[in-house]
Amino acid sequence: MQNLFDEAKRFIPGGVNSPVRAFRAVGGTPVFAASGEGARFRDAEGREYIDYVGSWGPLIAGHAHPKVVAALQEQASLGTSFGMPTEVETALARRICERVPGCERVRFVSSGTEATMSAVRLARGATGRDEIVKVEGCYHGHVDSLLVQAGSGVMTLGIPGSPGIPNALASLTHVVPFNDAAALKHVLQERGEQIACIILEPIAGNMGVVPASAKYLKTVRKLTKELGIVLIFDEVMTGFRVHRSCAQGLYDIQPDLTCFGKVIGGGLPAAAYGGKAELMDQVAPDGLIYQAGTLSGNPLAMRAGIETLDLLDDGAYERLEVTSASLEQALQQAAHDADVPVTINRVGSMMTVFFAAWPVKDLDSAMTADTTRHAKFFHEMLSRGVYLPPSQFEALFVSLAHGEEEVRATADAAREAFRLVKPGGSRDRG
Ligand code: PMP
């Protein structure tokens, strides 16, 4: 792998096209993937792994699902891009709107970053206000205004925001702690009438999995309504992963705008933002708020998204829950048996094993997790053929292709790995 990484580094900054892939948080050399099938993938040297990253969320149907592959093959032979409307765009948009009650129209884009950027622009354009509120530890892609106290790779790298973002722009973003209604109230009392939108992940996945409390989200909904502030749920990660109607279905709370990504592209580049017609119709060409994309609504991505959503019936979510609950239980037991304190946060098929002996409910409690122990655990699991996210502050994902066999093999590996990472475990002595 080292030679592949060295070669990559000659031509690609850091050898990767997204920072977390570089393994900086856990050390060592990244695994180069070569092929995948179901819950597993093979690396460039032919070694097989059980995959709990699933391309960071999109692969809820597993790698190379036969229905997705067949649709892609058919579409590739029909043409990969037209730059004009196609029926498959409407077909995917209809599926999203049917499942998500507050969504009457969706506009497709190519990445989650584009979705959140466009949703914020729409909120600003529609309200005529410039200031926005984001929530600590939530990551919304690398949008300038949103790369302020964000999670995911930004946190892994310890970059407070990023050079290159003008202070003038960052100063329009107010940051409040997650799950803290009082802090939000305080900002809104001061600046409420200048604020265009509040954007948050209803179930944060980018400081590790940290669900918002239902009470908190209800308060956020109430306050935003009172002040005419657009509430944006970033469901790029949670959308169609945690529930048929996304996290908002789970909490029964309707935001004004929702950002989608990952699952709706089934492993191809597709994302979207959507909401009520009165808001969405302010986007060009019907409205004045401009947003566009050469490859937006790309037919290959639409086909992969349609096949993926069609696999996600009620039975699918039940299967995901059963597998994920049994994985959680197995990991909890393995950690307990090895006397390693962990806190496992899980919502459906996304979860994080925090190396922390206390509840993790916001960024501060997440940040106190033992990242050294996490890194050791990661490598012990990797060497046993289990590929986990290479950072403490990311979610692991279970797919429909994972089953009892994968859970059993993961539990076997975890029993050994936890024993080796506990203080006084053989790795420490060695
Ligand atoms: N929002 C959330 C909640 C995400 O998890 C991510 C990516 N992990 C994004 C936005 C950005 O999406 P993308 O990487 O496709 O730009």
Side-chain angles (χ1 to χ4, degrees):
M1 272 336 129
Q2 191 59 50
N3 55 339
L4 295 180
F5 194 38
D6 290 343
E7 185 69 358
K9 281 195 275 196
R10 289 180 58 205
F11 303 106
I12 301 170
V16 292
N17 286 305
S18 202
V20 181
R21 297 180 197 172
F23 274 25
R24 293 285 164 89
V26 291
T29 307
V31 175
F32 275 61
S35 65
E37 194 185 343
R40 291 157 199 263
F41 75 91
R42 277 186 195 281
D43 70 16
E45 290 167 359
R47 240 191 119 210
E48 195 179 77
Y49 302 80
I50 301 174
D51 185 9
Y52 287 104
V53 173
S55 188
W56 299 96
L59 300 184
I60 200 163
H63 288 277
H65 189 285
K67 287 194 169 157
V68 176
V69 172
L72 288 175
Q73 280 168 340
E74 188 196 41
Q75 187 60 51
S77 68
L78 293 172
T80 57
S81 185
F82 299 97
M84 53 184 95
T86 56
E87 288 176 51
V88 287
E89 291 158 79
T90 315
L92 184 55
R94 182 188 303 119
R95 281 165 171 79
I96 293 171
C97 292
E98 278 170 2
R99 286 167 172 78
V100 183
C103 228
E104 292 174 347
R105 307 235 203 284
V106 280
R107 169 60 65 80
F108 289 111
V109 291
S110 300
S111 70
T113 297
E114 261 185 281
T116 58
M117 178 184 77
S118 309
V120 168
R121 181 180 305 144
L122 173 53
R124 282 175 161 155
T127 57
R129 303 170 179 179
D130 286 344
E131 297 176 27
I132 64 174
V133 174
K134 93 167 276 291
V135 178
E136 218 171 61
C138 292
Y139 174 71
H140 307 292
H142 57 96
V143 180
D144 282 348
S145 314
L146 300 175
L147 211 52
V148 182
Q149 292 179 39
S152 195
V154 192
M155 193 152 96
T156 305
L157 292 171
I159 299 171
S162 169
I165 297 175
N167 279 339
L169 192 61
S171 69
L172 295 174
T173 304
H174 303 273
V175 184
V176 293
F178 194 70
N179 264 333
D180 186 341
L184 178 64
K185 273 183 199 158
H186 183 71
V187 170
L188 295 186
Q189 258 155 22
E190 302 278 313
R191 306 295 308 166
E193 313 231 308
Q194 278 74 43
I195 289 171
C197 64
I198 296 178
I199 183 166
L200 58 86
E201 299 177 66
I203 299 162
N206 288 291
M207 47 180 148
V209 173
V210 184
S213 78
K215 192 164 166 244
Y216 171 69
L217 286 184
K218 283 207 174 83
T219 309
V220 174
R221 178 65 284 188
K222 183 169 164 282
L223 294 173
T224 46
K225 223 170 223 156
E226 282 167 9
L227 289 159
I229 294 170
V230 177
L231 176 58
I232 306 174
F233 274 8
D234 180 350
E235 298 230 38
V236 167
M237 190 184 285
T238 52
F240 307 105
R241 165 148 306 266
V242 296
H243 186 270
R244 185 188 150 80
S245 306
C246 312
Q248 56 199 274
L250 212 56
Y251 286 95
D252 193 22
I253 292 174
Q254 261 186 35
D256 300 304
L257 290 175
T258 305
C259 300
F260 305 97
K262 302 195 190 266
V263 168
I264 68 158
L268 272 85
Y273 63 107
K276 286 261 187 290
E278 63 177 300
L279 208 46
M280 291 304 293
D281 288 348
Q282 297 186 48
V283 174
D286 279 354
L288 294 174
I289 299 162
Y290 193 71
Q291 180 273 309
T294 301
L295 293 176
S296 292
N298 174 264
L300 282 170
M302 298 295 104
R303 293 290 300 267
I306 290 167
E307 293 303 329
T308 301
L309 283 193
D310 284 354
L311 288 166
L312 292 170
D313 53 16
D314 289 343
Y317 289 105
E318 278 161 30
R319 288 205 306 283
L320 285 169
E321 175 60 28
V322 168
T323 312
S324 308
S326 102
L327 179 67
E328 178 189 355
Q329 206 174 30
L331 292 173
Q332 191 80 61
Q333 189 65 47
H336 179 266
D337 291 349
D339 206 14
V340 174
V342 296
T343 292
I344 302 183
N345 283 0
R346 178 178 75 85
V347 181
S349 57
M350 51 190 274
M351 89 175 89
T352 298
V353 178
F354 287 101
F355 286 82
W358 42 84
V360 177
K361 56 176 193 357
D362 54 19
L363 184 61
D364 283 350
S365 42
M367 288 298 277
T368 46
D370 188 337
T371 51
T372 307
R373 214 176 254 193
H374 167 269
K376 276 191 193 167
F377 181 71
F378 168 83
H379 279 292
E380 295 299 345
M381 293 298 277
L382 189 68
S383 69
R384 288 166 179 78
V386 180
Y387 191 82
L388 296 169
S391 161
Q392 171 71 99
F393 307 111
E394 300 284 358
L396 74 79
F397 299 102
V398 173
S399 82
L400 289 167
H402 290 75
E404 277 173 33
E405 192 187 322
E406 284 75 23
V407 172
R408 208 174 313 119
T410 307
D412 289 345
R415 270 190 290 279
E416 294 176 11
F418 277 125
R419 231 169 269 144
L420 292 168
V421 304
K422 80 169 181 182
S426 60
R427 278 306 138 98
D428 274 352
R429 286 198 295 272

